[in-house]
Amino acid sequence: AAVYEDQVGKFDWRQQYVGKLKFASLEASQGSKKLVVATEKNVVAALNSRSGEILWRHVDKGTPEGAIDAMLIHGQDAITVSNAGRILRSWETNIGGLNWEMSLDTGSFQVASLVGLQDVVKYVAVLKKAAISLHYLSNGHQKWVEHLPGSESTQYQLLYSHGTGVIHVLGIVPQSHLNVLTFSVEDGEITKQVIRVAAPWLKSLNGMCSVVGEAVLVCVDVDTHSLYVCSLETEQEMKQILLQSLDLEFADGFQPRILATQPNVISASRTQFFLQLSPSHFSLLQYKHGLLSHLRDFQQAALVSFATTGEKTVAAVLTCRSELKPGSSDGLHAGSTLEDSRKQESLTCSNQTYNINLYLVETGQRLLDTTITFNLEQSGAKPQQLYIQVFLKKDDSVGYRALVQTEDHMLMFLQQPGKVVWSREESLAEVVSLEMVDLPLTGAQAELEGEFGKKADGLLGMFLKRLSSQLILLQAWTAHLWKMFYDARKPRSQIKNEINIDNLARDEFNLQKMMVMVTASGKLFGIESSSGTILWKQYLRNVKLGSSFKLMVQRTTAHFPHPPQCTLLVKNKETKMSFLYVFNPIFGKKSQVAPPVLKRPILQTLLLPIMDQDYAKVLLLIDDEYKVTAFPATKNVLRQLEEIAHSIFFYLVDAEQGKLSGFRLKKDLTTEESWEVIIPTEVQRIVTVKGKRSSEHVHSQGRVMGDRSVLYKSLNPNLLAVVTESTDTHHERTFIGIYLIDGVTGRIIHSSVQKKAKGPVHIVHSENWVVYQYWNTKARRNEFTVLELYEGTEQYNATAFSSLDRPILPQVLQQSYIFPSAISAMEATITERGITSRHLLIGLPSGAILSLPKALLDPRRPEIPTEQSREENLIPYSPDVQIHAERFINYNQTISRMRGIYTAPSGLESTCLVVAYGLDIYQTRVYPSKQFDVLKDDYDYVLISSVLFGLVFATMITKRLAQVKLLNRAWR
């Protein structure tokens, strides 16, 4: 599996991602080269602002323990709070090194803020539900920690300081009053009496309140259509200002939000702030010297943001160039920098063209020549977050770049007047489903397919068609020769194989394929497998977060001229309702074929081998009333279904009730239950049900043993492997159960229990074997167990298989092995004919992929080798499975937080295509039995050719010499 140095990157590629942004900081200088981000995938990273590449990246735990709650930037340091406020870290942003890390006391995290004293930022303050602590920026050591009075009833949510030596902490008793605490920065003592401000209308501080100017709290009340203001330092009651006096009013049912800015923690906040009145209506207001003034109205704004450079603070406003219209019910939400926007009314921009403009905050004036105009795809998502990088040019005018994140997690970095510097598809950090589709034939290959025409064309027509196709082939061949000659003159590094959607074609060995990826955000991608180039993308707007997906290939590219067809089933986890999306996997276009409307929740799908007249496989959908919908549902399909209904069986799993049930199809497309297996939920719960891959080919039906007899495999295509875990989690009583159940008859072929074992369980089910991995709680180690099923030395029926006619249970061989590491994902290699020996591809938490020969996990490995076992080439049993670094197929290209491995056959029997996905995506080829059907890369063509030419030349000379000799002999 190891590669030579010159093979690195030749057949493989890796793409690294960071996920959807949660926090971002853009350096405020023109020559800035990086932007620091923290994401929802618990990643802290720096991106190159010129190319979008990752400069450095730190991946925390994938669980809520690693969640990043806050990120603060000061100079070259980034401060992050993670694990619900338990860990405080400081990162050096140039190289990504960790400056220091501190553990904090437990408690519900609220907010963190930098604190300055006498023009120097020295501290970071962390506010929790019941305490506030102050830490030194230089080393993270705690300066002081203070308990917050009345924290049982008061929700402390806001923290404010502006370099005056005090920290204001604001707490709220909902619909009663506010508490304002003032702490001294030096020793943490409460310097002023606790100020209690009556606010019976206030439910929360987050979003509804903000601090502007010299410590003035501004809150919004939707019921009275007014703003309330209160100085934290001098006043003890709220002052009401009606918005009607400024001719402003809130949209019905919309929760208004306030967005203020404090450019520097050692000086006061800006007196200007944004008030969001509706999803697309913002107002820039100013509260100064006790007066509220209205600076500017933004009617068609989608997002707003503040940015500061030097003494200048500007407001950036992203607007739609055409009018924003109410979105359809299936649209998601109009993005905003304010959190709760997803609950608001949806708005769409009809032509997907947006403008970003800068406005001076003091006056609300638009700055000239600061417009950025950009387009998003027509089917695409709306902008969701806006970050601005502002800098002063040499002529003292303001220049800027903008980072826009859309609903589908795409990042775009823009500069004036609208150039996209780079974009990143961060939704690929969460791939949930993947299929590989063969590429279509080339134009020349397609011409060959139709070369002979139809008899109806007549003799002359057929001859002319033959002639024209031969000319096209000649033209393609000369173009290929010219390209080879032209490329041969260039250095190898300069040869670019530009891949685009127009020149896509199947290669000689079918190693290049189209990877169709579905991501959790509802975005579909078409990626060319040999280079990783994204050729098309499609965003499904009516997909809710947390939906589940199933991708099926109904028609491949083999049926020219019919286009290939994929069907995606999307199921909403909340409502349980589903819909089908049918598209062309090569070009990404929505298919003209209208899928059925699904009015009931779908429980199971079944892709049948029968086809309609256009060669599309029939998809059966079973709903919660056990009724069957066929797609496509033509008369021809329904007639075929009637004929073979007696041989169509399917199963359903209800993990909550611990029930597996089998159904058979009737001729009128209704169903009847044929079997049921109940697994008591009070003892154990169903974790996984795994069948075999329908595309799998088994080449050998048996194994030749040492005494020359044959041990026949039990190849039941209907076999299901059901894994259960005990509900009791005590390490002495926990167990894992495995059941091998026939999906047609419900017969339990085999069941076994691993005592003192627990999950997570990873399982691979293929041919006549099952391999599963679990954690042994007694020995405290990871173990593999392998099961193999054999019929014996005689086959019951060598010609056809039927689950209904199997009187003898198969023999089950079982063996366990110790594995020295936990695993993240597991899959078996697959080839076109099944001749190549099988390997298990095991994804390790370190990011490596181990290629483990299946022969090492063979239950027939003998403890004491005999003559017959040596004859059979069985490796003697050893309980340890070693991890050898040379078996890593991805050398140093590690995959962070691996979630799955996908394998697909190629046109070469020796080669299997592999895609591993998680936070990163990695594609490569593996050769489980070496490359027995291809000449090696270093094959010496020159030597062989010269030897052949030499032999031919020698043959011609010896032939001539022999003729002369014969002639001379004749003359004697």
Side-chain angles (χ1 to χ4, degrees):
V3 292
Y4 291 105
E5 197 175 345
D6 62 339
Q7 289 179 310
V8 169
K10 196 171 180 183
F11 306 119
D12 65 317
W13 50 264
R14 178 181 66 166
Q15 291 173 359
Q16 294 186 297
Y17 299 96
V18 294
K20 185 185 178 185
L21 296 197
K22 205 171 182 181
F23 307 102
S25 171
L26 286 71
E27 292 179 347
S29 63
Q30 192 167 5
S32 144
K33 291 182 182 174
K34 66 176 179 297
L35 39 122
V36 182
V37 298
T39 72
E40 291 185 358
K41 288 275 168 200
N42 308 350
V43 173
V44 182
L47 304 178
N48 185 331
S49 58
R50 296 177 182 183
S51 64
E53 291 173 0
I54 296 171
L55 295 173
W56 55 263
R57 181 181 75 166
H58 291 288
V59 183
D60 210 335
K61 294 176 186 173
T63 58
E65 284 181 19
I68 297 160
D69 305 302
M71 184 176 80
L72 308 165
I73 302 288
H74 175 63
Q76 297 302 318
D77 294 339
I79 315 294
T80 59
V81 182
S82 52
N83 189 4
R86 287 189 182 92
I87 296 174
L88 186 66
R89 292 189 180 104
S90 171
W91 307 93
E92 205 286 325
T93 57
N94 287 320
I95 56 168
L98 181 68
N99 292 328
W100 50 260
E101 177 182 283
M102 290 299 288
S103 290
L104 306 182
D105 296 333
T106 55
S108 175
F109 173 77
Q110 298 298 323
V111 69
S113 170
L114 295 171
V115 176
L117 194 63
Q118 299 167 350
D119 299 341
V120 183
V121 180
K122 286 185 179 178
Y123 313 106
V124 57
V126 178
L127 177 68
K128 297 202 172 177
K129 187 175 187 293
I132 177 172
S133 57
L134 197 71
H135 301 262
Y136 289 98
L137 263 183
S138 55
N139 55 22
H141 291 167
Q142 186 175 291
K143 184 176 171 71
W144 52 258
V145 60
E146 290 294 330
H147 181 74
L148 299 171
S151 57
E152 295 80 22
S153 57
T154 311
Q155 298 170 14
Y156 290 97
Q157 295 172 339
L158 266 184
L159 186 69
Y160 182 73
S161 78
H162 57 110
T164 56
V166 294
I167 301 170
H168 299 291
V169 175
L170 282 77
I172 177 176
V173 177
Q175 298 182 319
S176 174
H177 63 272
L178 279 171
N179 280 349
V180 182
L181 307 178
T182 307
F183 293 92
S184 163
V185 171
E186 282 301 328
D187 54 15
E189 285 190 13
I190 295 179
T191 57
K192 285 170 70 177
Q193 184 73 28
V194 176
I195 300 173
R196 182 178 165 131
V197 182
W201 44 269
L202 196 56
K203 293 171 188 168
S204 171
L205 292 173
N206 293 333
M208 293 175 71
C209 292
S210 216
V211 181
V212 301
E214 296 276 349
V216 177
L217 182 70
V218 179
C219 292
V220 60
D221 178 26
V222 69
D223 298 327
T224 59
H225 290 264
S226 54
L227 289 178
Y228 286 85
V229 292
C230 168
S231 171
L232 300 178
E233 292 174 348
T234 59
E235 295 172 353
Q236 293 197 13
E237 62 178 36
M238 289 281 205
K239 184 173 132 192
Q240 184 179 7
I241 302 170
L242 291 170
L243 285 176
Q244 287 172 346
S245 60
L246 300 172
D247 292 333
L248 298 174
E249 60 177 60
F250 301 129
D252 292 336
F254 179 77
Q255 180 60 58
R257 291 277 181 267
I258 287 178
L259 183 69
T261 181
Q262 185 183 12
N264 196 337
V265 291
I266 52 175
S267 57
S269 295
R270 291 286 175 184
T271 53
Q272 299 82 18
F273 60 95
F274 273 112
L275 175 64
Q276 188 179 9
L277 302 156
S278 80
S280 63
H281 186 188
F282 291 83
S283 272
L284 184 61
L285 304 175
Q286 175 175 280
Y287 184 76
K288 205 169 186 181
H289 308 309
L291 290 172
L292 184 71
S293 51
H294 184 209
L295 299 176
R296 189 162 187 138
D297 223 25
F298 302 99
Q299 290 281 0
Q300 295 295 329
L303 296 169
V304 295
S305 179
F306 285 112
T308 301
T309 176
E311 294 299 309
K312 280 189 181 176
T313 298
V314 293
V317 181
L318 187 145
T319 54
C320 176
R321 278 194 79 168
S322 62
E323 198 174 324
L324 279 168
K325 295 173 183 173
S328 58
S329 59
D330 60 28
L332 270 175
H333 50 272
S336 162
T337 48
L338 307 167
E339 268 298 311
D340 259 352
S341 56
R342 58 183 63 200
K343 295 173 186 169
Q344 316 301 349
E345 175 198 356
S346 173
L347 293 165
T348 16
C349 185
S350 55
N351 61 358
Q352 286 289 72
T353 305
Y354 295 89
N355 282 346
I356 302 172
N357 286 297
L358 290 193
Y359 298 84
L360 210 58
V361 292
E362 286 85 355
T363 59
Q365 273 184 311
R366 188 167 79 83
L367 294 170
L368 297 173
D369 303 323
T370 60
T371 304
I372 285 180
T373 303
F374 66 98
N375 288 297
L376 294 174
E377 295 141 22
Q378 282 302 317
S379 66
K382 298 178 289 294
Q384 196 177 43
Q385 285 191 320
L386 173 66
Y387 303 96
I388 298 293
Q389 178 190 34
V390 189
F391 49 85
L392 289 174
K393 297 180 183 173
K394 287 177 183 174
D395 60 356
D396 212 33
S397 62
V398 175
Y400 75 109
R401 299 187 189 97
L403 180 67
V404 177
Q405 179 169 258
T406 57
E407 276 176 336
D408 57 1
H409 309 179
M410 182 174 78
L411 291 179
M412 292 173 76
F413 196 61
L414 307 155
Q415 69 180 33
Q416 293 161 281
K419 182 190 171 191
V420 178
V421 183
W422 50 262
S423 65
R424 289 179 64 89
E425 290 290 353
E426 289 302 336
S427 59
L428 284 168
E430 208 168 356
V431 174
V432 289
S433 190
L434 163 65
E435 284 290 342
M436 275 192 173
V437 181
D438 292 351
L439 291 176
L441 301 167
T442 61
Q445 287 166 336
E447 279 297 325
L448 270 176
E449 291 281 325
E451 185 178 310
F452 299 101
K454 295 171 188 158
K455 287 188 178 178
D457 293 345
L459 193 65
L460 184 65
M462 284 170 72
F463 176 71
L464 289 171
K465 190 168 178 120
R466 178 82 187 261
L467 209 61
S468 65
S469 69
Q470 294 292 331
L471 282 169
I472 288 167
L473 283 169
L474 183 67
Q475 193 180 348
W477 184 66
T478 50
H480 176 66
L481 281 181
W482 172 249
K483 187 177 183 300
M484 278 175 64
F485 172 71
Y486 188 69
D487 283 350
R489 291 160 52 198
K490 285 185 182 176
R492 192 169 168 182
S493 59
Q494 288 182 18
I495 299 169
K496 279 187 183 175
N497 291 326
E498 288 293 328
I499 292 167
N500 59 48
I501 209 150
D502 302 318
N503 63 13
L504 266 187
R506 194 179 307 174
D507 60 304
E508 202 175 356
F509 299 125
N510 200 8
L511 293 162
Q512 250 180 299
K513 297 197 182 224
M514 178 66 82
M515 291 159 46
V516 181
M517 291 190 174
V518 184
T519 63
S521 65
K523 195 165 189 180
L524 277 66
F525 290 90
I527 298 177
E528 195 277 322
S529 70
S530 65
S531 66
T533 311
I534 296 173
L535 296 175
W536 59 262
K537 48 196 173 189
Q538 191 73 31
Y539 179 55
L540 306 181
R541 303 197 52 176
N542 48 349
V543 173
K544 298 289 180 285
L545 286 171
S547 296
S548 53
F549 303 86
K550 188 169 183 183
L551 184 62
M552 293 152 286
V553 182
Q554 275 192 286
R555 183 170 52 229
T556 63
T557 48
H559 305 287
F560 182 82
H562 298 290
Q565 180 177 311
C566 273
T567 302
L568 178 68
L569 177 73
V570 183
K571 186 173 183 178
N572 186 327
K573 281 191 178 171
E574 289 173 14
T575 62
K576 307 290 184 198
M577 295 306 288
S578 309
F579 70 89
L580 290 174
Y581 178 73
V582 186
F583 63 99
N584 180 328
I586 303 299
F587 300 106
K589 290 175 183 167
K590 189 174 179 179
S591 173
Q592 302 294 320
V593 181
V597 177
L598 307 174
K599 292 176 181 172
R600 303 286 314 168
I602 298 298
L603 301 180
Q604 179 68 288
T605 60
L606 209 60
L607 200 60
L608 299 179
I610 62 170
M611 296 180 179
D612 69 351
Q613 63 273 23
D614 293 332
Y615 304 101
K617 285 184 180 175
V618 176
L619 180 66
L620 288 190
L621 303 146
I622 297 98
D623 63 28
D624 61 344
E625 293 179 343
Y626 310 123
K627 289 180 180 168
V628 174
T629 308
F631 168 63
T634 58
K635 285 182 182 175
N636 177 21
V637 166
L638 295 173
R639 182 180 52 75
Q640 287 185 73
L641 277 175
E642 268 184 45
E643 288 172 8
I644 66 158
H646 65 277
S647 63
I648 296 175
F649 295 81
F650 60 90
Y651 69 93
L652 297 175
V653 182
D654 187 344
E656 287 177 13
Q657 294 180 18
K659 188 169 83 168
L660 285 103
S661 43
F663 293 80
R664 57 181 283 270
L665 193 66
K666 291 182 175 180
K667 287 194 174 183
D668 57 354
L669 289 194
T670 57
T671 60
E672 70 171 345
E673 191 172 53
S674 55
W675 58 268
E676 187 177 82
V677 173
I678 303 286
I679 291 167
T681 50
E682 60 273 10
V683 179
Q684 54 190 335
R685 66 181 199 281
I686 298 170
V687 180
T688 315
V689 178
K690 186 100 175 181
K692 294 179 187 176
R693 282 173 75 158
S694 56
S695 57
E696 186 177 82
H697 288 274
V698 181
H699 180 257
S700 167
Q701 291 207 348
R703 288 177 64 163
V704 180
M705 294 194 288
D707 61 357
R708 297 291 184 271
S709 63
V710 177
L711 186 63
Y712 289 101
K713 297 175 184 175
S714 173
L715 299 169
N716 182 347
N718 309 315
L719 196 66
L720 303 173
V722 181
V723 180
T724 64
E725 263 189 67
S726 62
T727 49
D728 190 340
T729 54
H730 188 274
H731 66 92
E732 286 289 327
R733 296 186 293 272
T734 185
F735 66 85
I736 277 168
I738 183 147
Y739 301 87
L740 300 182
I741 299 176
D742 191 303
V744 171
T745 60
R747 188 183 190 188
I748 297 175
I749 308 289
H750 172 76
S751 68
S752 67
V753 169
Q754 304 280 347
K755 290 181 179 176
K756 295 177 184 174
K758 67 173 191 175
V761 178
H762 293 89
I763 184 166
V764 172
H765 185 189
S766 178
E767 289 191 17
N768 67 321
W769 51 266
V770 176
V771 173
Y772 59 100
Q773 179 264 359
Y774 52 89
W775 173 255
N776 183 327
T777 57
K778 185 182 178 183
R780 300 182 66 79
R781 65 191 182 202
N782 291 283
E783 291 182 359
F784 276 120
T785 293
V786 57
L787 303 172
E788 283 194 7
L789 286 79
Y790 292 97
E791 283 192 34
T793 51
E794 288 183 13
Q795 272 185 302
Y796 176 72
N797 186 339
T799 53
F801 181 88
S802 170
S803 286
L804 302 168
D805 179 27
R806 286 279 137 177
I808 307 158
L809 279 174
Q811 302 170 16
V812 180
L813 306 179
Q814 179 171 336
Q815 217 166 50
S816 292
Y817 296 88
I818 301 163
F819 194 64
S821 166
I823 71 172
S824 306
M826 188 162 68
E827 189 54 87
T829 58
I830 185 169
T831 52
E832 201 163 46
R833 302 282 171 202
I835 299 168
T836 306
S837 58
R838 308 295 292 273
H839 276 211
L840 278 176
L841 300 175
I842 300 164
L844 306 178
S846 63
I849 305 170
L850 178 73
S851 182
L852 191 70
K854 168 64 181 64
L856 288 175
L857 299 177
D858 187 342
R860 297 185 65 248
R861 283 175 64 177
E863 287 185 36
I864 300 160
T866 60
E867 195 61 44
Q868 286 196 359
S869 69
R870 287 194 196 96
E871 183 79 21
E872 213 180 317
N873 283 331
L874 288 176
I875 307 161
Y877 178 71
S878 165
D880 285 306
V881 176
Q882 303 281 320
I883 293 180
H884 296 292
E886 63 270 19
R887 285 196 178 133
F888 292 156
I889 63 170
N890 57 336
Y891 46 105
N892 64 352
Q893 303 287 295
T894 54
I895 300 112
S896 281
R897 222 178 279 156
M898 203 184 309
R899 277 197 320 280
I901 298 171
Y902 177 89
T903 54
S906 69
L908 289 170
E909 176 54 34
S910 65
T911 309
C912 170
L913 304 177
V914 178
V915 185
Y917 55 91
L919 194 59
D920 306 330
I921 296 173
Y922 178 75
Q923 193 273 341
T924 189
R925 305 172 189 170
V926 290
Y927 316 101
S929 300
K930 305 270 173 67
Q931 284 182 283
F932 57 80
D933 49 4
V934 184
L935 293 175
K936 288 182 180 174
D937 278 354
D938 56 355
Y939 185 77
D940 203 335
Y941 292 95
V942 177
L943 178 68
I944 296 295
S945 304
S946 55
V947 167
L948 279 172
F949 278 122
L951 285 170
V952 170
F953 190 62
T955 307
M956 289 165 68
I957 289 170
T958 49
K959 187 179 176 185
R960 177 70 187 145
L961 289 171
Q963 284 175 344
V964 169
K965 191 177 179 182
L966 282 168
L967 189 66
N968 289 338
R969 189 183 292 167
W971 277 106
R972 283 179 196 161

